[in-house]
Amino acid sequence: MAVLGLVIEEPEDASCVAQRLSERFRPARFAPSTAHMTLPRLEAQGLVRRVTAPEDARDSAQGRYEATEEGIDRFREWLRTSPDGLPALREALHARIDLAQPEDLERVIEITDRERLACERECAAARGRLAEARQVARFKGTNVDWSEQVREVVMVDEAMIWAYRAARLERLHARLVDLRGQHGEEYEHRGEAAKLAS
């Protein structure tokens, strides 16, 4: 979806898309070949098409890719859909935010908040498992074996990771809400103009 979003932003050849993918999503550490492998798959799915310039006609590997209407629709659907299951990887959430347009902001704020709530639930569950394990350890007294001690260390770390993720998402959510506030008047004017046009 990141590759498709970049093509929607600016139609380019595979090498340029690969470079932009690497620059925009540096923490994801995409392989240099990611765009080169993904674009033909997107083309086969009808989400992008290759537009070949006359000077590139002899080399079928050349040409820039542009998104089809179906590709744009699929991307917008992905952008506005909250992932199923556990919270999305940081890169997936960042991709949604980075590629969002002003009209997507409200939905991206909702997704971020949903992700935060999911992290808080996971943190609470991890803390519950930890409390349970500690209760069992107290009952056993000095008979707690090595694997139980190590398991407690892992459970503490798991709870801390979920707490950190929830706090990070809370900050991210607040920044997005601030962004909405800074540009709210602009969005309202666009909405009014759209209503008048229809």
Side-chain angles (χ1 to χ4, degrees):
M1 286 298 126
V3 170
L4 180 56
L6 291 174
V7 171
I8 290 170
E9 279 187 354
E10 187 174 346
E12 288 182 317
D13 65 37
S15 295
C16 291
V17 173
Q19 182 178 351
R20 287 172 55 218
L21 184 67
S22 172
E23 291 168 359
R24 288 278 287 276
F25 304 106
R26 192 174 309 274
R29 297 184 181 171
F30 286 111
S33 61
T34 300
H36 294 278
M37 293 181 341
T38 303
L39 285 165
R41 283 199 311 261
L42 292 172
E43 186 177 24
Q45 294 170 17
L47 304 179
V48 300
R49 67 176 153 260
R50 198 174 344 193
V51 181
T52 307
E55 62 270 13
D56 297 327
R58 282 172 281 150
D59 185 358
S60 63
Q62 290 295 320
R64 65 185 172 86
Y65 287 88
E66 65 182 20
T68 62
E69 286 300 316
E70 184 182 350
I72 292 169
D73 291 344
R74 178 87 56 88
F75 177 77
R76 306 305 295 167
E77 180 183 324
W78 168 82
L79 186 74
R80 294 177 174 164
T81 303
S82 186
D84 293 333
L86 292 177
L89 293 174
R90 179 183 64 181
E91 290 79 13
L93 183 58
H94 281 183
R96 280 178 170 80
I97 294 167
D98 194 32
L99 296 167
Q101 295 298 309
E103 61 271 18
D104 303 316
L105 184 59
E106 205 57 47
R107 185 67 179 127
V108 171
I109 288 171
E110 288 174 24
I111 290 169
T112 305
D113 197 42
R114 187 173 297 142
E115 295 290 310
R116 177 188 60 81
L117 292 170
C119 286
E120 287 176 354
R121 284 192 301 273
E122 290 296 325
C123 182
R127 286 179 175 160
R129 289 188 297 273
L130 178 60
E132 209 173 280
R134 285 180 171 164
Q135 182 123 8
V136 169
R138 273 195 296 274
F139 178 73
K140 287 185 174 182
T142 57
N143 295 330
V144 177
D145 67 13
W146 170 253
S147 64
E148 290 172 316
Q149 291 174 8
V150 171
R151 187 167 178 262
E152 181 180 336
V153 170
V154 171
M155 286 191 290
V156 167
D157 187 58
E158 180 187 7
M160 288 172 51
I161 288 169
W162 286 116
Y164 169 76
R165 288 180 181 176
R168 182 184 62 82
L169 286 164
E170 188 171 346
R171 289 189 300 272
L172 182 59
H173 180 265
R175 303 267 326 261
L176 290 169
V177 169
D178 287 347
L179 183 64
R180 179 181 61 195
Q182 291 170 12
H183 298 280
E185 195 173 300
E186 175 187 335
Y187 300 145
E188 287 174 19
H189 290 306
R190 283 186 191 173
E192 288 171 13
K195 284 179 188 172
L196 289 174
S198 62

